[in-house]
Each structure stands twice: as structure tokens, then as C-alpha cells.
Amino acid sequence: MNAPASLRQGKVLLLAGPLSFNAAYIRRTLDFFGVPVLAPPGTAEEAFATLSPADWKSVTACVAVDLTHAMFTDLSEQHKEVPFLFVGYDPAAWFAAPYSWLCPPFASYQVIETLSEMVTAAAAETMRSTFDPPPAPDEPK
């Protein structure tokens, strides 16, 4: 199976603690399917803090493995447009951005399918907002 076309345009940002089995499994899966991975060194907090605006522009989606909600409370609006796949934590209180959640155990194809669906949905929403301007202030919404 080849890499999904929707994931070829950018990298997948992988955020996880050092020694995370799930992160290593996901990285091998993405590598196997030919999806470029951006995995900054250090703890997830250190990696997240070192990402530049150029790094964010290259990111198609982010996979956050076994990380708490507190890590994501200060995301700028630009970063909230990036689809996030959370692995291992209940999504009940995540921020309002395109996201999905996988609970281990999961198969490698589920990682690729989930990311593909998220990226496709986010791209469709971006296209829709580009072609459908917001209503004028005096128009009903």
C-alpha cells in the first residue's frame, strides 16, 4: 500500500515522551507508508516549544502520544487549524480544532486511515471557507 495522497503534501509532527512504544510504532507506520515525519528531539514540551513558524507551515497533521491537555492550551489560532490525532488520552476536553483519538491497541492501517480522513476533512473545510465568504454584518447567519 502506498502513502495516502492527502498526506504527501506535508509532514506529520510527532509529539511524545522519549521511550514511548506507541510513538515508535506510529513513526514506523508513517515511515513504512512514505509519510515524512517531523519529530523534534527532547521531551514533547521541549519539541513543541522549539517549533518555528516555518516548521508549522510544513505540518499537515500532528500526532500527540500520551500527552496531557495542558500541553495544548496555549496554541495559537494558526496551530489550531492543524488536525491533531491524540493517542492514549480521552478526548473529552480537547481544544476546538480538527482532532481525532485512538486508544491502544490499534493497527497501523488505523493510524493512516484516521490521519487521511482528518487531513481530507480539514482541506475540504479550508476550501469551503475560501469560496464561501462570511455573511455581511447585516445578513442572517
Side-chain angles (χ1 to χ4, degrees):
M1 178 184 248
N2 293 328
S6 59
L7 291 178
R8 290 187 185 203
Q9 287 90 26
K11 299 174 185 170
V12 170
L13 172 62
L14 182 60
L15 296 173
L19 306 181
S20 166
F21 173 82
N22 286 329
Y25 178 75
I26 290 170
R27 173 105 193 225
R28 281 192 306 273
T29 297
L30 294 171
D31 288 341
F32 177 77
F33 284 100
V35 177
V37 177
L38 175 61
T43 65
E45 290 83 358
E46 292 166 344
F48 200 62
T50 61
L51 292 171
S52 71
D55 289 331
W56 277 109
K57 285 183 181 180
S58 73
V59 171
T60 298
C62 178
V63 178
V65 183
D66 297 327
L67 301 180
T68 63
H69 177 257
M71 278 229 22
F72 302 96
T73 56
D74 294 328
L75 280 180
S76 75
E77 290 305 313
Q78 172 190 351
H79 305 149
K80 288 184 181 180
E81 293 174 7
V82 173
F84 274 71
L85 173 59
F86 295 101
V87 178
Y89 270 85
D90 185 342
W94 293 108
F95 54 87
Y99 77 87
S100 192
W101 179 66
L102 282 178
C103 180
F106 50 85
S108 59
Y109 75 88
Q110 291 174 296
V111 174
I112 295 298
E113 284 182 355
T114 304
L115 285 171
S116 295
E117 289 170 8
M118 292 170 60
V119 170
T120 301
E125 182 58 34
T126 300
M127 289 298 288
R128 193 171 17 263
S129 64
T130 301
F131 293 113
D132 296 334
D138 57 341
E139 286 182 33
K141 293 182 183 181

